[in-house]
Amino acid sequence: MQIQENPALKAEARNLSFFYGNTQALKGINMPIHDKKVTALIGPSGCGKSTYLRSFNRMHDLYPGNRYEGEIRFFPDNTNLLSPEVDPIEVRMRIGMVFQKPNPFPKTIYENVAYGLRVRGERNKRTLDDKVEHALRGAAIWDEVKDRLQDLAPNLSGGQQQRLCIARALATDPELLLFDEPTSALDPIATGAIEELVHELKKRVTILIVTHNMQQAARVSDYTAYMYLGEMIEFGKTDEIFLKPNDKRTEDYITGRMG
Amino acid sequence: MMTESHHVSSRFDEDLARLRTQVLQMGGLVETQVAAAIDAYSSGEVGSVKAIVDGDRRVNELEKAIDDDCAHIIAKRQPTASDLRLVLGVSKIVTDLERAGDETKKIAKGVRRIYENGHLPGQFGPGVQHLAEAALNLVRQALDSFARLDTGQATQVIRLDDDVDVEFKSIIRQLITHMMEDPRTITTSIDIITIARAIERIGDHAKNISEQVIYIVEGRDIRHIKEAAK
């Protein structure tokens, strides 16, 4: 896999710490997110990788007592995503998220995808139709649902629901997609389809993915970060991390050893 | 830099430990074969040639068995980092061991031809004998460096192989002189060239094994790099 040496950055965490009340979950994370690349976050449960991921679209703002330190710079405009002046709703327009368990709205397939567009004020039926189709095609599910757009989304299979959720995230044309263990509830075929999709999607969008499946991180990502106890232990090109990590803690984790 | 810590799966630990033991077992067998071939050369004990040929079958079987284990470990465990390098390295090391085994067979058969033709390799004895002992020493040290994952020793083997190559060329020059001086020695000389060439190749295989040890431990691929750069 060829990766250009100094690819442009889509985002960058700078000395990012995060506190759930008095508990510090992230400890001074510095990490680049390369533009139109897939970056995987790996590490044992409780290492802070999901906390880190969720900081990007300000999900922690939903609960009182949570506190950020440091910043996440978002490019090209160099916005600090964590700045109190930045509206979380605006952030979420530019940064989509896909969760571990598919969570379609209890609406039709069409409405699931059109939802974000309607929230943005899109009313034109023709535009909505076009954008829904474009997003469904982008999520590689169009052929399976084009004749049943008015069916209820929860009636789809798990793998289809997850791809629908990806289409929903794509509909608003986000610049960054966050995936939080997107395939842990799916069978190997559906997992393969999502991984294939991630590979396609990175042509147009930057992706940050949390996964417990090490082989998945190795397969889909260009860069990998290993996190442990709220710290980022090692960040590097995926090819190097999985063949010759520099830190013994990374080595122990990816080889399945007890530290 | 193999970690001392254990895998969460103790069976994975067992799989890798068994893989290493099997390589050492195969290496030990090849080492014995080489020593037996050298012995046959100097003593004229042509009777041992058959045992060497038979022993090579066992070497071939071990190569297949170990490669099969490598495939199973990859399929079942999806090894990464040092584990992956160990499995890949082992798969290459057994190829070199098997080829060293083939060269040993060539030595043994060459020895049998010389003696059966009523000749004695004695007049070239010391040179070839010395070359053979140097190559055997390389095989031993290469296997040692694998057993201990000792890159210092592996590097030493790579250096020493150059001496074996130089010695081989000097033997060839000697033989050419002999053949020109006395054409009656040509048949035996050609057999001895075959033997010396096989010994020199065994040294090369020991060097290749050492290169794999460095790859396994450090993740550096130093094959086909000029000595100075290593």
Side-chain angles (χ1 to χ4, degrees), chain A residues 66-77:
Chain A
N66 291 348
R67 184 163 58 88
Y68 304 95
E69 277 173 20
E71 46 187 41
I72 298 176
R73 288 280 160 188
F74 201 57
F75 303 112
D77 42 314

Side-chain angles (χ1 to χ4, degrees), chain B residues 6-7 21 35 81 86 116 125 132 163 181 201 204 226 229:
Chain B
H6 297 290
H7 286 94
T21 309
L86 175 68
E116 281 175 359
D163 298 346
E181 282 171 358
R201 290 295 299 148
D204 290 345
K226 286 257 182 290

Side-chain angles (χ1 to χ4, degrees), chain A residues 3 18-19 39 42 91 99 149 153 155-156 158 173 217 222 225 242 256:
Chain A
I3 297 172
F18 180 77
F19 301 83
T39 301
I42 60 171
V91 167
F99 295 85
L149 292 174
N155 292 341
L156 294 169
D173 251 335
D222 302 298
F242 282 88

Side-chain angles (χ1 to χ4, degrees), chain A:
Chain A
M1 199 188 311
Q2 281 296 316
I3 297 172
Q4 60 188 103
E5 278 313 312
N6 281 311
L9 294 188
K10 185 66 219 171
E12 187 173 22
R14 293 183 187 163
N15 204 17
L16 173 67
S17 293
F18 180 77
F19 301 83
Y20 290 108
N22 291 323
T23 313
Q24 184 168 8
L26 297 177
K27 297 172 185 167
I29 308 258
N30 288 293
M31 182 175 149
I33 309 291
H34 296 281
D35 191 31
K36 304 225 170 35
K37 299 285 177 201
V38 179
T39 301
L41 301 171
I42 60 171
S45 297
C47 73
K49 53 194 190 302
S50 289
T51 302
Y52 177 56
L53 189 83
R54 286 161 193 215
S55 302
F56 280 79
N57 71 348
R58 301 269 297 266
M59 274 181 66
H60 302 301
D61 292 22
L62 301 172
Y63 307 94
N66 291 348
R67 184 163 58 88
Y68 304 95
E69 277 173 20
E71 46 187 41
I72 298 176
R73 288 280 160 188
F74 201 57
F75 303 112
D77 42 314
N78 200 16
T79 308
N80 174 16
L81 293 177
L82 304 179
S83 162
E85 292 91 62
V86 170
D87 178 3
I89 306 295
E90 279 301 312
V91 167
R92 288 173 205 144
M93 283 294 179
R94 298 177 66 186
I95 302 177
M97 179 138 184
V98 177
F99 295 85
Q100 181 174 358
K101 278 184 75 180
N103 55 351
F105 302 138
K107 293 169 176 285
T108 64
I109 293 167
Y110 183 95
E111 281 306 319
N112 262 275
V113 183
Y115 190 82
L117 300 164
R118 289 199 202 280
V119 169
R120 279 187 150 188
E122 186 58 64
R123 292 279 175 271
N124 185 303
K125 173 85 170 76
R126 186 76 183 275
T127 310
L128 281 172
D129 285 355
D130 283 352
K131 290 200 167 179
V132 167
E133 176 175 343
H134 187 69
L136 287 168
R137 281 189 190 279
I141 192 179
W142 172 251
D143 288 338
E144 291 159 63
V145 300
K146 63 182 175 199
D147 301 322
R148 44 191 288 218
L149 292 174
Q150 298 310 321
D151 285 7
L152 282 176
N155 292 341
L156 294 169
S157 74
Q160 288 172 327
Q161 285 184 26
Q162 194 62 310
R163 277 178 287 143
L164 178 67
C165 292
I166 294 172
R168 189 175 64 192
L170 284 176
T172 54
D173 251 335
E175 295 157 58
L176 173 66
L177 269 184
L178 309 171
F179 285 84
D180 194 354
E181 295 185 50
T183 62
S184 57
L186 303 181
D187 73 21
I189 302 291
T191 297
I194 300 283
E195 287 180 7
E196 185 65 22
L197 180 55
V198 166
H199 191 73
E200 280 300 308
L201 286 175
K202 73 172 178 179
K203 290 173 188 156
R204 39 193 275 224
V205 55
T206 304
I207 292 171
L208 188 56
I209 180 170
V210 164
T211 176
H212 269 137
N213 180 334
M214 224 105 54
Q215 271 65 42
Q216 178 167 73
R219 283 191 300 264
V220 304
S221 70
D222 302 298
Y223 294 89
T224 297
Y226 171 61
M227 293 179 64
Y228 185 61
L229 298 176
E231 287 179 66
M232 201 191 69
I233 305 295
E234 187 168 356
F235 173 86
K237 290 179 183 173
T238 298
D239 285 0
E240 286 165 14
I241 294 269
F242 282 88
L243 209 54
K244 182 73 185 73
N246 285 317
D247 195 292
K248 186 175 176 301
R249 291 168 291 180
T250 315
E251 167 94 24
D252 281 352
Y253 182 69
I254 64 171
T255 56
R257 287 183 166 85
M258 289 176 270

